[in-house]
Amino acid sequence: MTTPPPKPITRWYLALALAGLVGTWLFNLQYFLSGGSVAPDRFWADAMVNPLTSAITVDVYLSALVFAVWVWRETAPLSRWRALAWIALCFGVGLAVALPLYLAHRGVAIAPRR
């Protein structure tokens, strides 16, 4: 039996994950190369430098927290390590990468059940 080709939405999610990786990490690398840090005091001070960056930071981190809870509730009963890997990807690499990759993986994983 052959594996069916990925659905267009899966390819779309993968393209968005790649765009999220490139789009966010170009800025992350600039930040780190200019002396930025993930030390909490420095990172949060830089992330909250003005009202716009504060709004974006709060929005993204709350969304990432919702994603983490969703992944934990959906994935952990099957595999706690897999759930932790998705959550680590979210907070370590970025929500813009983890969310579309998770949706692509989820779509492929549940496709045989449909």
Side-chain angles (χ1 to χ4, degrees), residues 4-85:
K7 292 183 178 182
I9 191 69
T10 301
R11 290 191 295 271
W12 180 242
Y13 288 145
L14 294 172
L16 288 172
L18 181 60
L21 180 67
V22 171
T24 58
W25 277 89
L26 284 175
F27 293 106
N28 288 342
L29 290 173
Q30 288 176 20
Y31 173 71
F32 291 126
L33 291 173
S34 68
S37 171
V38 292
D41 57 336
R42 172 74 187 274
F43 176 82
W44 289 107
D46 289 346
M48 303 290 197
V49 73
N50 64 50
L52 179 60
T53 61
S54 297
I56 293 168
T57 300
V58 169
D59 182 58
V60 169
Y61 275 91
L62 286 177
S63 297
L65 183 59
V66 170
F67 173 73
V69 170
W70 175 35
V71 166
W72 184 259
R73 290 185 49 90
E74 184 172 85
T75 308
L78 304 172
S79 170
R80 293 204 187 282
W81 289 111
R82 185 169 289 155
L84 289 173

